[in-house]
Amino acid sequence: MQYSWSAPTLPILLSKNAPIEVTTNQAEWLESILMIGACFGLPITMFLVDSIGRKKSLITSATTTMLAWIVIAVAPRVEYIFVARFFAGMAGDMAFVAAPMYIAEIADQKIRGFLSSLIYIMMLTGVLTMYCVAPFVPLWGPCLLGIVINCISLIVFPFQPDSPYYLLYKNEPEEAKAALRKLRSTDNVQEEFINISVAIERQKGEKGRFMDLFLISSNRKALVIMVILNSSQHLSSISVMLMNLHSILEEAGSFYVAASTGAIIFSATMIVSAMSASLAIDNFGRKVLLCCSGVVAGLSLMVMAVYFTLKNNGVDVLKASWLPLVMIILYAASFKFGIGLVPVVLTAELFPAKVKAFGMTISDLSYVGFSVITIEIYHSLRHAFGIQVPFYVFSVSCFLTVLFTILYIPETKGKTLEEIQMILKKTNSTVTENSKITQFDSTHSQVYRNEGFVEC
């Protein structure tokens, strides 16, 4: 909701009857200040997810966001909104790093992809909610809704268990076992507890410095995958679409639906697509969804580029003016089916515990950074060569993402987090139960005996 707040709200703030006086220059800053806050929040996020944990980081994020909504709702001047948006950006960054980590570490491997994909579904729900509510209510209306949502989170979430991985990483085995029992709704968690303990012990034996992201080959491969995937999301034009959809439809000359209606259809389509992908991701795999998504999104953008090329060269395209709207809807469906959803799943799966905070934060930085870069690419190429040129660029980016997926990204469907690390290290990912227990016994023999695992 914070991400999409500016699109329907800024026209209200720039109108004659605006509740707060805002200049055009200030309105532009209200858009960018959120992403600036996200950039400044990166080191704080990096520190908190490892020092206080994933769960407490999410609680901190929800609290900060709620306070930001309160300030926006009662702000007497635009400067107050600047501050609120800045801290909302920091909180959003923290949530987008901590939430995938938390979900990946509590979820059973069979449904980990589905649960991780819910993050983007909720993001899209926030976008659609803002598009549907903000144009028709006072400025404080969507703020009140945001406050209520965060209140619900702050009431319910503190009662949820913390990540067993994080608890074992902090040498709290009893708390980790209790969390596992609550998450699995059974007392029979010994085997999973052993597996997690072995994985944590192996990862603790590895170095956890920032430079190890680049010096260790498996970490470096994970980082390359996530930086390219996060960058490709924006190089596939999603930020351009979300922030310029009205002007794109108007320039296309589509007269079938109003631009505001097209925006609602666009966001609703993405939600339906993301829901479908969340159900398919653990059945068909991450690579299949990425490839299908990239091909269809690339073709959609290519058709739009050709349409604008013909239109700008004097060809009568009136009879085909429905085409851009259809292609934008097809793009929305295909993008969120893979490129726009799979990265948030992979980002929590690929990095080992010792450098997970570093890796996910840098991945998030590439996501934030390229959201700004692609907007600049779009406006620069559009003004210099015409609107068709950036669409050609974005289309080629989609096809390159497909090629990168096929050649470089491993399939993580159905794999434990430990098995994924073995794949990245190019070693045998199949570890027998006896070897796991033997390794666990050699490193935790006293705990092993005390907990009654000898018979197991």
Side-chain angles (χ1 to χ4, degrees):
M1 289 179 66
Q2 286 282 0
Y3 183 69
S4 56
W5 175 85
S6 60
T9 304
L10 290 185
I12 299 174
L13 293 176
L14 292 172
S15 65
K16 293 181 179 179
N17 299 322
I20 300 174
E21 185 178 347
V22 177
T23 66
T24 302
N25 185 55
Q26 288 172 332
E28 293 176 357
W29 274 103
L30 282 174
E31 287 188 354
S32 57
I33 196 69
L34 185 78
M35 306 312 292
I36 294 174
C39 289
F40 275 89
L42 287 170
I44 298 174
T45 297
M46 215 192 253
F47 171 75
L48 289 181
V49 292
D50 272 345
S51 61
I52 67 173
R54 292 70 157 127
K55 176 182 172 181
K56 290 180 180 177
S57 294
L58 287 168
I59 293 173
T60 302
S61 172
T63 303
T64 306
T65 306
M66 184 181 69
L67 293 174
W69 281 125
I70 293 173
V71 172
I72 294 173
V74 301
R77 298 199 310 270
V78 69
E79 289 80 7
Y80 288 81
I81 303 180
F82 280 137
V83 175
R85 294 275 288 167
F86 180 84
F87 280 99
M90 295 178 68
D93 177 80
M94 187 178 298
F96 263 85
V97 172
M101 293 175 74
Y102 178 78
I103 291 175
E105 292 174 355
I106 69 168
D108 184 275
Q109 65 203 53
K110 296 178 182 178
I111 58 170
R112 186 175 62 236
F114 167 73
L115 293 181
S116 297
S117 66
L118 291 178
I119 297 171
Y120 266 139
I121 292 176
M122 299 315 297
M123 175 187 172
L124 294 172
T125 303
V127 172
L128 179 60
T129 300
M130 187 61 71
Y131 284 170
C132 293
V133 173
F136 312 108
V137 298
L139 185 64
W140 52 264
C143 299
L144 180 61
L145 185 58
I147 293 168
V148 170
I149 291 173
N150 279 278
C151 279
I152 294 173
S153 177
L154 291 172
I155 291 171
V156 174
F157 190 59
F159 294 98
Q160 303 309 308
D162 210 334
S163 160
Y165 275 82
Y166 174 77
L167 292 172
L168 276 172
Y169 185 74
K170 290 296 183 179
N171 295 318
E172 299 177 5
E174 290 301 323
E175 289 80 357
K177 287 178 62 180
L180 270 177
R181 291 191 187 103
K182 187 171 184 180
L183 288 166
R184 304 298 181 249
S185 298
T186 178
D187 290 333
N188 186 23
V189 296
Q190 292 93 332
E191 183 178 355
E192 186 173 3
F193 180 77
I194 292 174
N195 293 340
I196 296 174
S197 300
V198 170
I200 292 295
E201 281 305 312
R202 182 191 62 77
Q203 293 174 21
K204 275 186 175 182
E206 298 175 348
K207 297 178 181 179
R209 303 170 303 170
F210 177 76
M211 287 303 298
D212 292 325
L213 274 174
F214 308 94
L215 297 177
I216 298 176
S217 61
S218 58
N219 295 342
R220 188 167 59 247
K221 181 171 183 177
L223 184 64
V224 169
I225 291 171
M226 291 319 309
V227 167
I228 291 180
L229 282 184
N230 280 319
S231 303
S232 70
Q233 291 189 69
H234 294 289
L235 286 171
S236 301
S237 81
I238 186 60
S239 290
V240 170
M241 288 292 189
L242 287 174
M243 297 182 184
N244 299 274
L245 187 57
H246 297 72
S247 62
I248 291 172
L249 288 174
E250 289 172 1
E251 188 159 348
S254 178
F255 57 85
Y256 290 92
V257 296
S260 58
T261 304
I264 293 175
I265 295 173
F266 180 82
S267 56
T269 302
M270 285 198 295
I271 290 178
V272 173
S273 177
M275 288 180 176
S276 302
S278 68
L279 296 174
I281 193 168
D282 285 319
N283 294 320
F284 296 98
R286 285 62 161 150
K287 295 184 69 169
V288 172
L289 266 61
L290 278 172
C291 291
C292 293
S293 171
V295 170
V296 178
L299 290 174
S300 302
L301 294 171
M302 184 64 71
V303 171
M304 290 182 62
V306 172
Y307 174 90
F308 282 119
T309 300
L310 296 174
K311 185 175 184 294
N312 293 339
N313 282 278
V315 178
D316 184 9
V317 293
L318 184 62
K319 292 183 179 179
S321 62
W322 53 270
L323 196 59
L325 177 62
V326 173
M327 289 299 103
I328 283 175
I329 294 174
L330 182 60
Y331 167 83
S334 59
F335 177 82
K336 277 302 173 185
F337 194 74
I339 296 177
L341 185 115
V342 172
V344 76
V345 177
L346 288 178
T347 192
E349 293 181 333
L350 295 181
F351 294 109
K354 290 282 281 185
V355 296
K356 184 169 287 189
F358 295 136
M360 293 184 68
T361 303
I362 293 179
S363 300
D364 193 52
L365 176 61
S366 68
Y367 181 89
V368 173
F370 272 86
S371 69
V372 178
I373 292 171
T374 51
I375 292 296
E376 291 300 317
I377 290 174
Y378 171 73
H379 287 299
S380 299
L381 294 178
R382 179 183 180 184
H383 293 313
F385 307 105
I387 192 173
Q388 70 276 7
V389 175
F391 279 104
Y392 281 119
V393 173
F394 297 144
S395 176
V396 171
S397 173
C398 290
F399 295 131
L400 290 177
T401 301
V402 173
L403 185 62
F404 176 76
T405 299
I406 294 173
L407 298 178
Y408 200 75
I409 298 178
E411 180 57 71
T412 62
K413 181 192 76 171
K415 305 290 193 304
T416 66
L417 298 182
E418 176 71 357
E419 287 171 337
I420 293 170
Q421 288 305 305
M422 294 299 104
I423 293 173
L424 291 172
K425 291 177 183 295
K426 296 182 180 179
T427 60
N428 185 7
S429 63
T430 303
V431 184
T432 65
E433 293 302 315
N434 289 336
S435 66
K436 290 179 183 178
I437 295 174
T438 301
Q439 183 179 356
F440 182 82
D441 188 38
S442 65
T443 55
H444 282 81
S445 58
Q446 188 61 43
V447 176
Y448 181 87
R449 295 186 184 97
N450 290 344
E451 298 301 329
F453 292 152
V454 174
E455 291 183 6
C456 173

